[in-house]
Amino acid sequence: MGQRTYRLLIDGVWQGGERGLKDVVDPSTEEVAAKVPVAGPNDLDKALAAAVRACGGWANTDVRDRAAILARAA
């Protein structure tokens, strides 16, 4: 199995972490199994802003409407 490089999905866009990549080592072989992005404060700010845009209206939705939506989803 080859080494994989992962990216962050923030606001629908795949991107690297602002702090670069970190090796993930397989302890059984001591080989690098993957490289993962290291998020920084700006990545967190972008992800949080995207989440608020995606779910921001939920908190302002009437409780009866939220209950109806959740009941339909269940």
Side-chain angles (χ1 to χ4, degrees):
M1 191 180 291
Q3 172 185 314
R4 295 193 60 181
T5 300
Y6 293 89
R7 300 181 64 75
L8 300 170
L9 179 61
I10 299 176
D11 204 13
V13 177
W14 290 103
Q15 58 191 42
E18 74 175 299
R19 293 189 174 172
L21 295 170
K22 179 176 177 67
D23 292 342
V24 176
V25 177
D26 180 341
S28 67
T29 64
E30 297 186 1
E31 294 179 1
V32 175
K35 292 187 177 286
V36 296
V38 180
N42 291 326
D43 295 318
L44 176 61
D45 289 343
K46 288 189 280 185
L48 184 58
V52 167
R53 279 193 309 278
C55 301
W58 184 254
N60 297 322
T61 302
D62 181 76
V63 68
R64 289 175 294 275
D65 293 337
R66 285 186 281 176
I69 292 167
L70 291 173
R72 282 193 306 268

